Amino acid sequence: MAEDTTTTKPPALTIDVPGLTSVLDGKYVDMRTEVRRLLPSYASVLEDAETMTRDEFRERVREVVLEIAETGAPGVGFPKEYGGGEDIGASIAAFDTLAYGDLSVLVKFGVQFGLFGGAILQLGTKRHHDAYLPDLITGKLFGCFAMTETAHGSNVQALGTLATYDAAAGEFVITTSTPEAGKDYIGNAAKHARMAAVFAQLEVEGEGHGVHAFVVPIRDELGNPLPGIRIEDDGHKMGLNGVDNGRIWFDGVRVPREALLNKFADVTEDGKYVSEIESSGRRFFTMLGTLVQGRVSVGSAAVSTAKVALTIAVKYGLHRRQFETGNAKEGEDAEQLLLDYGLHQRRLFPRLARTYALHFAQEVLASRLHDVFSGITPDEESRRLLESRAAGTKALSTWLATDVIQECREACGGAGYLSVNRFAALKADTDVFMTFEGDNHVLLQLVGKGLLTDYASDFSDLDQLGMVRFVASVAVETVLEKTRVHKILQQIRDALPDRDDAWYTDSGLLDPSYHLAMFRFREEHRIGGVAKRLKRGVDSGMNPGEVFSRVQDHVISTAKAHVERLVLEAFVEKLATLDDGDNKLALNMLCDLYALTSIEDDAAWFMEHGRLTTQRSKQITREIGDLCRRVRPVAGDLVDAFAVPTELLRAPALIQPVVEVRAKRASPVVEVRAKRASKP
């Protein structure tokens, strides 16, 4: 998009809102439309969360999950032979659209069909699929995903639960080795799960083989804990109190040899451990890699919650007035709309742009997930790139949700503090998104490791110290030259031979090539910087652990730069697929706004590294203000395109003028009928 150097006012855009919704829905428009049609039926759950006791609300959430199961939606990602649809991409689309509604329902849905069901599907074999998937998909069999322990969350390799094979009996003995090794924060464990996918250290003939997963019954059909099982409720939480999180301890619980989820390793009838993957480290990471769908799902759901918050805040800004400005024409209200204030635009529109950007990044990620797990791109490199992209995108998406929800709450003033306006629940229920399915900072360290080792399979089982030693053992230039971003950046420079490095000073501010070049330069420079610091530390004789600790902040900033570049590329690539018209122009503005605000946020770094002058930095700030003013006339349409059902916004005083709300309260039956009639 060429930079506008004129002073004439850009022509007004006319947004085709259904058309823009279709762009956002992508290839899964039918699935998303169906879920949006379904959700208003459960809008009352949002109020139930505030009025019911915790036990009552847990049962209510379970009922809703079972009702949704009756529609067949949970089975979309499972094999057809078990009643599923065999479409992983569609299952992600259904999940993130469900995130428009109550998040306890969403998370319980995810625990049952994504985590527990995903473990059975991805780590098990036909004997497990036949035994469990039919009842699991319908909700007849509730389960839980018992990985995290009180003493170990992110460090899964150090779990303390033991699974010792008793060859004489042909059974595994599951034992909680210490009180701190109890399974903790496990969704569905406190109340509803009858089975658990238990992750434990496998020991065969006195030899440890690392963490493996087992299917372990924990309750009888009446809901009573089985012998050797102790279960405790985690109690009240900041949010998601419709999900029954609990703790589980195992005291010599015996399960048959067939309980081992044996896709990647098995124990034979004569008690021998066998696996086609020789390296225990690589086997462990391969096993965890199959569970990447959870991270993709959480990230996509986080973006959906940001959409809900933005819809409420933008609509509020379109009718709420405050202070006289002297700009009102005769007959108009003397006070100015909130959304006409430049500061209000600055608070909301860059976040709106980032939400659109991460939506398209999630779309690319879901497509890669579908291709890898459907066998379209089954190669090892594609899997490793998927794992890294999922980890990084999950981190940025969940941080986005927290930031957007908070800013939108503040942008709605005191009214935003009322529970009826959803912000209280959104804040409380999404806060854990940043730590479950992987702590965001730990996930970004995973991304950083991939960048520094170029995702090579030879280094897939390296721990952080091994990664430090590897990077220190090669030339920094080698690390840089192997990175994909280096190759891409070189292509840009080759395309501009007469301008040398002038691309960062001469290009138009609204030129996507300029944006991409800046993002790619930052990423490459930070990769090189981390490599140099690691090498310098080890060469000086410092302990590798201390070296890594000292550069962790650089690893995180490098990983963020990498993922932000992927997000921008996804947005730019999406724009290239669209037909010309006002919708594309509006999305172009949002893409420009995302790119420039990202550069502005990191302006000090770009200045320190000679890629941004003070004059150009000021130009970027002015351009951002201009973009916000241009977004203003279509802001309402841009949030309407998210297609959040009105019943789920639950914020009548925020999304409609007060007079209109009062009139509708006087005729509630007419209002409900009108809303139903307006639904497709």
Side-chain angles (χ1 to χ4, degrees):
M1 183 175 176
E3 183 177 8
D4 181 13
T5 59
T6 69
T7 58
T8 58
K9 186 176 181 180
L13 299 180
T14 301
I15 303 300
D16 173 8
V17 174
L20 189 51
T21 300
S22 181
V23 170
L24 291 168
D25 286 347
K27 65 185 293 187
Y28 297 111
V29 58
D30 292 340
M31 173 58 68
R32 294 183 190 277
T33 300
E34 178 60 23
V35 174
R36 288 195 295 264
R37 185 197 63 78
L38 177 72
L39 278 172
S41 304
Y42 306 111
S44 61
V45 180
L46 298 169
E47 184 175 349
D48 294 338
E50 299 164 7
T51 59
M52 289 182 170
T53 66
R54 187 176 70 205
D55 286 341
E56 290 172 342
F57 187 51
R58 285 176 171 180
E59 292 306 315
R60 173 66 173 134
V61 168
R62 179 177 179 273
E63 290 171 3
V64 173
V65 170
L66 288 173
E67 289 176 19
I68 295 175
E70 291 177 359
T71 69
V76 172
F78 290 94
K80 292 180 180 178
E81 60 188 295
Y82 301 105
E86 238 168 72
D87 192 334
I88 296 173
S91 70
I92 298 295
F95 188 81
D96 72 47
T97 310
L98 275 174
Y100 283 165
D102 179 77
L103 296 180
S104 283
V105 171
L106 177 84
V107 171
K108 195 171 187 71
F109 182 97
V111 168
Q112 170 69 10
F113 306 110
L115 294 180
F116 178 60
I120 300 295
L121 177 63
Q122 300 297 346
L123 300 180
T125 53
K126 192 174 190 307
R127 70 189 186 204
H128 305 105
H129 299 167
D130 291 346
Y132 303 115
L133 288 185
D135 285 349
L136 186 159
I137 293 172
T138 60
K140 183 178 180 181
L141 173 66
F142 262 78
C144 62
F145 184 82
M147 176 183 283
T148 298
E149 297 177 357
T150 303
H152 289 97
S154 297
N155 188 8
V156 177
Q157 281 181 294
L159 293 179
T161 305
L162 303 178
T164 306
Y165 187 64
D166 181 348
E171 296 174 328
F172 293 103
V173 183
I174 312 296
T175 304
T176 301
S177 61
T178 67
E180 293 76 18
K183 298 300 180 182
D184 211 343
Y185 324 115
I186 309 301
N188 279 356
K191 186 82 174 176
H192 297 135
R194 287 173 44 211
M195 304 286 291
V198 179
F199 290 78
Q201 302 283 356
L202 173 60
E203 290 186 359
V204 181
E205 296 182 326
E207 182 180 356
H209 295 281
V211 175
H212 291 64
F214 304 81
V215 183
V216 182
I218 60 173
R219 284 189 177 88
D220 60 25
E221 293 190 2
L222 297 177
N224 302 306
L226 293 171
I229 303 287
R230 181 162 65 94
I231 300 174
E232 186 177 281
D233 199 313
D234 270 322
H236 190 80
K237 308 184 296 290
M238 283 178 63
L240 299 176
N241 283 295
V243 182
D244 51 315
N245 294 84
R247 305 181 180 98
I248 313 173
W249 293 267
F250 304 91
D251 184 10
V253 176
R254 288 180 172 268
V255 293
R257 183 179 65 87
E258 292 78 14
L260 172 65
L261 294 173
N262 62 334
K263 182 173 183 178
F264 299 111
D266 206 353
V267 175
T268 63
E269 291 184 13
D270 58 352
K272 302 298 181 185
Y273 180 82
V274 294
S275 176
E276 294 182 0
I277 306 174
E278 294 184 7
S279 166
S280 61
R282 192 171 303 165
R283 187 166 54 244
F284 170 76
F285 285 111
T286 300
M287 176 187 72
L288 288 190
T290 63
L291 304 176
V292 70
Q293 183 173 341
R295 288 174 183 165
V296 178
S297 299
V298 170
S300 63
V303 174
S304 292
T305 64
K307 294 175 183 176
V308 174
L310 283 163
T311 299
I312 296 171
V314 168
K315 286 181 176 293
Y316 182 65
L318 285 170
H319 75 78
R320 170 68 165 171
R321 295 179 180 272
Q322 204 69 217
F323 300 110
E324 295 183 16
T325 63
N327 294 327
K329 297 178 182 178
E330 186 176 351
E332 291 183 347
D333 195 311
E335 292 188 294
Q336 182 161 299
L337 290 171
L338 289 184
L339 214 56
D340 286 337
Y341 285 102
L343 178 59
H344 213 72
Q345 295 170 9
R346 260 290 196 153
R347 295 171 68 185
L348 296 181
F349 295 166
R351 290 174 169 85
L352 177 62
R354 183 172 288 268
T355 300
Y356 265 85
L358 276 158
H359 171 93
F360 293 126
Q362 286 285 351
E363 183 178 73
V364 172
L365 180 58
S367 176
R368 302 279 172 87
L369 175 77
H370 180 85
D371 290 350
V372 167
F373 284 89
S374 299
I376 298 173
T377 54
D379 60 282
E380 191 67 20
E381 183 184 31
S382 294
R383 281 183 175 270
R384 297 194 187 287
L385 289 171
L386 170 66
E387 292 165 21
S388 175
R389 189 169 193 139
T393 308
K394 182 265 181 184
L396 264 61
S397 296
T398 53
W399 276 326
L400 167 88
T402 295
D403 173 65
V404 167
I405 292 167
Q406 178 63 32
E407 194 64 38
C408 288
R409 205 295 296 161
E410 293 182 33
C412 292
Y417 195 65
L418 302 178
S419 293
V420 71
N421 295 325
R422 285 214 64 184
F423 290 118
L426 286 173
K427 280 169 62 68
D429 290 346
T430 60
D431 199 74
V432 74
F433 283 21
M434 291 175 287
T435 47
F436 73 10
E437 284 302 311
D439 175 275
N440 284 355
H441 289 94
V442 175
L443 292 181
L444 288 177
Q445 289 180 56
L446 173 67
V447 176
K449 171 189 167 185
L451 291 170
L452 290 164
T453 59
D454 198 40
Y455 308 98
S457 60
D458 293 344
F459 312 114
S460 62
D461 58 350
L462 289 178
D463 58 15
Q464 300 293 5
L465 301 187
M467 184 268 290
V468 172
R469 294 188 183 101
F470 162 72
V471 174
S473 70
V474 299
V476 172
E477 290 75 15
T478 301
V479 176
L480 281 177
E481 288 172 3
K482 291 183 70 176
T483 64
R484 287 163 179 77
V485 67
H486 175 83
K487 297 167 186 174
I488 295 170
L489 189 56
Q490 190 59 50
Q491 291 172 4
I492 294 176
R493 290 169 175 158
D494 290 344
L496 303 169
D498 297 330
R499 296 170 61 181
D500 192 23
D501 280 345
W503 50 265
Y504 61 86
T505 58
D506 293 344
S507 297
L509 287 180
L510 303 185
D511 184 346
S513 297
Y514 166 70
H515 303 154
L516 289 167
M518 292 285 277
F519 277 50
R520 288 163 179 162
F521 171 81
R522 178 179 59 176
E523 178 185 353
E524 183 189 50
H525 195 284
R526 286 182 173 173
I527 293 171
V530 170
K532 290 174 184 175
R533 286 177 171 85
L534 291 173
K535 188 173 181 64
R536 187 164 58 242
V538 173
D539 288 348
S540 69
M542 193 182 298
N543 178 280
E546 178 65 19
V547 173
F548 181 74
S549 178
R550 291 191 179 192
V551 303
Q552 271 183 306
D553 55 338
H554 296 283
V555 172
I556 297 299
S557 66
T558 298
K560 283 183 179 178
H562 169 70
V563 182
E564 287 194 341
R565 188 259 298 175
L566 294 178
V567 172
L568 179 58
E569 285 181 345
F571 207 155
V572 172
E573 289 167 5
K574 184 68 177 184
L575 286 169
T577 68
L578 304 180
D579 294 332
D580 290 339
D582 284 1
N583 280 9
K584 184 174 183 177
L585 290 174
L587 290 179
N588 258 320
M589 287 194 300
L590 292 181
C591 188
D592 292 337
L593 189 54
Y594 165 68
L596 291 181
T597 52
S598 297
I599 293 171
E600 183 187 49
D601 289 343
D602 223 353
W605 186 92
F606 284 111
M607 288 180 179
E608 288 174 352
H609 295 83
R611 260 40 187 182
L612 193 64
T613 64
T614 55
Q615 181 181 3
R616 194 160 177 82
S617 178
K618 292 176 181 178
Q619 289 174 343
I620 287 175
T621 298
R622 285 195 295 271
E623 191 64 58
I624 290 171
D626 184 57
L627 283 168
C628 286
R629 287 186 288 275
R630 291 165 61 189
V631 168
R632 163 62 183 90
V634 295
D637 293 333
L638 292 173
V639 296
D640 283 344
F642 293 148
V644 182
T646 302
E647 297 88 340
L648 298 180
L649 294 176
R650 200 177 171 238
L654 293 185
I655 63 176
Q656 303 172 77
V658 175
V659 173
E660 184 179 346
V661 172
R662 288 172 178 164
K664 290 185 176 182
R665 282 176 182 163
S667 183
V669 176
V670 174
E671 165 65 1
V672 170
R673 288 175 178 168
K675 286 184 178 178
R676 288 175 178 169
S678 68
K679 294 296 174 187

